[in-house]
Amino acid sequence: MTTRVEVGVEEVTEVSQPVFSTRGRQLGLFELFAAIQAGDSLELTRLQPHQRGPAVTCLAVMMVALRRYAVAPPQAAADWEREWLAQVGADALRLIAVL
């Protein structure tokens, strides 16, 4: 059985697609990283209060690990994507396991 996530009318299969909703904006993982890096004030409105702390911690750990081993400090979404693909790989973006 395969589970798919739908955002609007688009079927989402990777976290690099716009799966995060914050203040009326839909962001993919790399846009979210860039917004955090830029110091944007973000509120993950779809998360319940008890989910926000763990989600923020997880995002912080991923960002620190990517920055630690980056050739140059990532700033823009494209930089974060480049580092993710080089260090982690595209398969780790999937929301759906390949059967």
Side-chain angles (χ1 to χ4, degrees):
M1 184 170 122
T2 302
T3 303
R4 300 204 187 283
V5 177
E6 290 187 23
V7 177
V9 293
E10 179 184 352
E11 184 178 278
V12 177
T13 59
E14 295 183 347
V15 293
S16 57
Q17 294 173 284
V19 295
F20 300 95
S21 177
T22 179
R23 296 187 184 218
R25 296 187 312 176
Q26 294 295 118
L27 305 171
L29 183 63
F30 307 125
E31 290 84 14
L32 186 63
F33 285 168
I36 293 168
Q37 179 68 35
D40 290 358
S41 177
L42 301 174
E43 183 178 324
L44 299 171
T45 55
R46 289 191 178 178
L47 295 179
Q48 297 296 316
H50 69 279
Q51 296 171 318
R52 291 184 185 136
V56 169
T57 300
C58 183
L59 291 169
V61 167
M62 289 188 290
M63 290 179 71
V64 167
L66 289 172
R67 285 183 60 86
R68 171 68 176 92
Y69 298 103
V71 174
Q75 300 292 324
D79 301 335
W80 287 104
E81 182 176 17
R82 179 193 70 238
E83 288 303 326
W84 181 282
L85 294 175
Q87 296 181 38
V88 182
D91 285 343
L93 296 171
R94 292 184 188 167
L95 290 170
I96 302 165
V98 176
L99 300 177

